[in-house]
Amino acid sequence: MNASSEKWDERFLRLAEHISTWSKDPSTAVGSCIVRPDKTIASLGFNGLPRHVIDSADRLHDRDVKLKIILHSELNSILNAKEPLDGFTIYVWPFHPCSACAAAIIQSGITRVVAPVSDNPRWVTSFGLAATMFGEAKVKVDLVDIPIV
């Protein structure tokens, strides 16, 4: 990867980081940005409840309920896109996509994932499954060593 590509990767990861701050999830704020090959933005997403579903504190602080109704940022950005995503890149903050999001990323036609290096223990099994799926589907994954600010 050249310096120009690294610069763009950092810019879009920082954008995904900013988008993650829009999440109301009290435990994990995730943001994503889908980018066309010409480096223009196709879609944005953050983890949260579906449109028109009340994001009350009761729901957001009840982990069992929250996990059943929340949309992950990656799926949100795919659903928000208004065009085919074949050959696009998704930038995800603050860690690698889970296996369910990997399936959606693969199915949407996205061919590259960029995320910061992370070792979130809660998701290690899901991240491993996602990595296997990405490998089998020939989706390139670039984990970037970028400081969390």
Side-chain angles (χ1 to χ4, degrees):
M1 195 176 325
N2 64 39
S4 177
S5 294
E6 290 175 9
K7 186 183 211 179
W8 280 108
D9 285 350
E10 182 170 347
R11 286 176 178 162
F12 288 124
L13 274 177
R14 291 294 180 201
L15 178 58
E17 178 184 28
H18 175 71
I19 294 162
S20 75
T21 67
W22 302 346
S23 172
K24 293 181 182 177
D25 187 326
S27 64
T28 308
V30 181
S32 58
C33 177
I34 299 175
V35 177
R36 298 177 188 96
D38 68 357
K39 305 285 190 259
T40 57
I41 297 166
S43 186
L44 307 172
F46 56 91
N47 60 321
L49 301 187
R51 287 185 185 117
H52 311 296
V53 173
I54 298 168
D55 54 4
S56 67
D58 290 348
R59 286 179 171 169
L60 293 171
H61 289 282
D62 183 330
R63 186 167 171 75
D64 290 335
V65 171
K66 178 185 73 172
L67 291 177
K68 289 179 176 124
I69 63 176
I70 201 162
L71 284 173
H72 286 192
S73 76
E74 299 92 328
L75 182 57
N76 228 347
S77 61
I78 290 168
L79 293 172
N80 287 334
K82 303 298 182 208
E83 63 191 285
L85 303 177
D86 299 316
F88 289 19
T89 296
I90 187 167
Y91 293 84
V92 183
W93 186 271
F95 41 67
H96 192 285
C98 70
S99 58
C101 288
I105 289 167
I106 292 164
Q107 200 69 6
S108 74
I110 291 170
T111 55
R112 182 171 177 246
V113 175
V114 180
V117 174
S118 171
D119 62 349
N120 186 312
R122 180 181 288 165
W123 292 91
V124 70
T125 301
S126 187
F127 292 166
L129 288 168
T132 298
M133 293 166 63
F134 285 142
E136 291 173 6
K138 308 275 189 286
V139 172
K140 183 176 185 202
V141 176
D142 289 318
L143 299 179
V144 179
D145 191 10
I146 184 171
I148 296 175
V149 289

